[in-house]
Amino acid sequence: SAVISQKPSRDICQRGTSLTIQCQVDSQVTMMFWYRQQPGQSLTLIATANQGSEATYESGFVIDKFPISRPNLTFSTLTVSNMSPEDSSIYLCSVRLAFYEQYFGPGTRLTVT
Amino acid sequence: DAKTTQPPSMDCAEGRAANLPCNHSTISGNEYVYWYRQIHSQGPQYIIHGLKNNETNEMASLIITEDRKSSTLILPHATLRDTAVYYCIVRVSSMYSGGGADGLTFGKGTHLIIQP
């Protein structure tokens, strides 16, 4: 299994600012993922972040809005840039350890005012 | 990934078996059935997965029909802590996906409410 921590756990930000979310894993993993969960909705994959390569973004998500860093095998950051109220969501980090299991962090609850 | 259909909500009495159905009529031969759940205010949690045989672990049992077009997740003795949204996901195992984007595609899931 994997223990994943995220910082901050929640934040309230003003429109037009940026927030960087940190994800720390207790073991080395190749593949990390970032998801968004809008209020009352299911999870949507934002991007896949592999160490040593550029992140791969899903349709509807762009690097300028959600830049991702993956400096090593246990850490990643997601930045939500130039925020608007529509960015208010829970952002979750996830890792894949085995071929069939993914583990999720507790999420970062973001409110944009 | 094949599309799945789940009932939006279900109730179950505490102590009884909770049976959560999932339809995946377009499933391909190399696609697995995965179940995750999300307890309120937490990240999703892996429960179980299977290809064609029935599977059981310490959390649940997974029954897959012979034609693989549907499956049922069984929580044998539901407790109040099992109240959560349960997601049925069908996808190719990462072992066969060529190492591409392997994120999960979540549908709307079933909100299971365990009643005391």
Side-chain angles (χ1 to χ4, degrees):
Chain A
S1 66
V3 177
I4 303 171
S5 60
Q6 289 186 229
K7 290 181 181 180
S9 58
R10 60 178 62 226
D11 207 343
I12 300 174
C13 300
Q14 290 192 343
R15 179 196 301 260
T17 62
S18 297
L19 176 72
T20 296
I21 302 168
Q22 299 179 6
C23 175
Q24 181 74 50
V25 188
D26 68 343
S27 57
Q28 294 185 338
V29 296
T30 301
M31 302 191 76
M32 296 180 75
F33 310 90
W34 286 98
Y35 290 81
R36 179 177 74 181
Q37 187 168 29
Q38 294 176 300
Q41 302 297 313
S42 186
L43 285 80
T44 301
L45 180 65
I46 297 173
T48 300
N50 291 341
Q51 195 270 337
S53 63
E54 295 292 321
T56 303
Y57 289 83
E58 297 298 302
S59 176
F61 297 96
V62 295
I63 187 171
D64 290 346
K65 176 67 175 177
F66 298 101
I68 289 171
S69 77
R70 183 76 203 276
N72 57 52
L73 291 174
T74 63
F75 186 79
S76 177
T77 66
L78 170 75
T79 299
V80 186
S81 303
N82 188 25
M83 288 184 285
S84 66
E86 292 71 34
D87 294 320
S88 296
S89 298
I90 299 173
Y91 292 85
L92 299 105
C93 160
S94 173
V95 303
R96 177 166 64 81
L97 290 188
F99 290 124
Y100 50 82
E101 268 186 70
Q102 285 193 0
Y103 294 90
F104 288 80
T108 295
R109 185 178 296 270
L110 171 64
T111 302
V112 183
T113 60
Chain B
D1 296 339
K3 179 180 171 61
T4 61
T5 303
Q6 298 178 253
S9 65
M10 292 181 62
D11 287 351
C12 178
E14 187 177 19
R16 305 296 295 268
N19 296 277
L20 292 91
C22 179
N23 286 318
H24 32 79
S25 59
T26 61
I27 191 169
S28 300
N30 62 349
E31 288 184 311
Y32 286 68
V33 180
Y34 297 79
W35 283 85
Y36 283 75
R37 73 179 181 183
Q38 187 174 24
I39 297 170
H40 183 62
S41 297
Q42 297 182 22
Q45 175 190 23
Y46 165 82
I47 301 173
I48 199 168
H49 79 285
L51 183 61
K52 52 185 176 182
N53 297 322
N54 297 337
E55 303 289 343
T56 295
N57 63 20
E58 65 278 5
M59 290 183 65
S61 295
L62 174 61
I63 308 298
I64 302 174
T65 58
E66 191 169 347
D67 63 8
R68 303 209 322 124
K69 293 185 177 182
S70 66
S71 60
T72 301
L73 178 74
I74 301 172
L75 307 178
H77 305 287
T79 70
L80 298 178
R81 289 180 293 181
D82 292 321
T83 292
V85 178
Y86 287 77
Y87 297 99
C88 170
I89 299 169
V90 172
R91 56 162 301 184
V92 177
S93 166
S94 300
M95 184 166 18
Y96 305 108
S97 65
D102 283 331
L104 298 171
T105 301
F106 287 83
K108 296 184 182 300
T110 296
H111 187 194
L112 175 66
I113 300 171
I114 306 301
Q115 304 283 2

